[in-house]
Amino acid sequence: TDGIYLPNVKNLFLAANVIKKIEGMSRCTSLTTLHLRDNQLETLDGFTGDLKELQYINLRGNLLTSVKESQKLKDLPFLRALALSENPVADEDDYRLEVLIALRTLERLDKDEYTDEERHEAEEIY
């Protein structure tokens, strides 16, 4: 993704491009939606606080194995929806809860909204 300089783009679809690494995304400062589905991402390095408008990221069907990777998205102030299904991480116990603990403003994970009960449990653990 390095070399992308699209400061006014709002929606970026990079699905199924054999992407292994996220680089240079900080130059897409108006981005609200990012589709990186069906690539080969193992980490979420490369997301920065410069992506202040980013609200939705689709990372479905990548190679993410650790829920700790979601912590790398905590500097995205408007992130409300995240898709991580079809990644090895989605099979971990308490996956939904751990992602919510890492990303407190998240409203939806894998198309399912967080319930008040899940929010309460995350609050107690946090």
Side-chain angles (χ1 to χ4, degrees):
T1 58
D2 198 19
I4 294 175
Y5 179 69
L6 302 167
N8 298 318
V9 73
K10 294 202 179 291
N11 301 303
L12 187 57
F13 298 86
L14 297 172
N17 278 291
V18 196
I19 295 170
K20 296 180 180 189
K21 192 174 182 181
I22 299 165
E23 297 177 297
M25 295 302 298
S26 62
R27 296 182 295 250
C28 298
T29 53
S30 298
L31 198 61
T32 61
T33 302
L34 178 59
H35 288 267
L36 286 166
R37 177 182 177 165
D38 298 324
N39 281 290
Q40 296 178 4
L41 296 169
E42 295 180 15
T43 71
L44 296 181
D45 297 329
F47 285 97
T48 70
D50 294 327
L51 299 170
K52 292 180 181 10
E53 305 298 321
L54 193 55
Q55 298 173 30
Y56 174 75
I57 306 172
N58 185 340
L59 293 163
R60 183 175 163 184
N62 278 279
L63 304 172
L64 300 166
T65 59
S66 174
V67 75
K68 289 181 172 40
E69 288 299 315
S70 63
Q71 294 173 349
K72 296 175 181 175
L73 305 176
K74 69 179 175 1
D75 292 332
L76 304 175
F78 291 109
L79 185 64
R80 298 296 180 261
L82 179 63
L84 292 174
S85 61
E86 297 178 29
N87 278 280
V89 69
D91 296 327
E92 286 188 27
D93 292 337
D94 296 325
Y95 150 74
R96 284 182 57 81
L97 183 62
E98 290 188 42
V99 172
L100 181 58
I101 290 168
L103 302 171
R104 306 307 298 277
T105 60
L106 208 60
E107 295 173 1
R108 200 167 29 118
L109 178 63
D110 302 331
K111 298 185 180 182
D112 295 320
E113 287 190 22
Y114 277 105
T115 65
D116 290 339
E117 184 178 309
E118 286 174 311
R119 290 196 177 283
H120 181 69
E121 188 175 351
E123 194 67 37
E124 285 180 352
I125 294 170
Y126 184 74

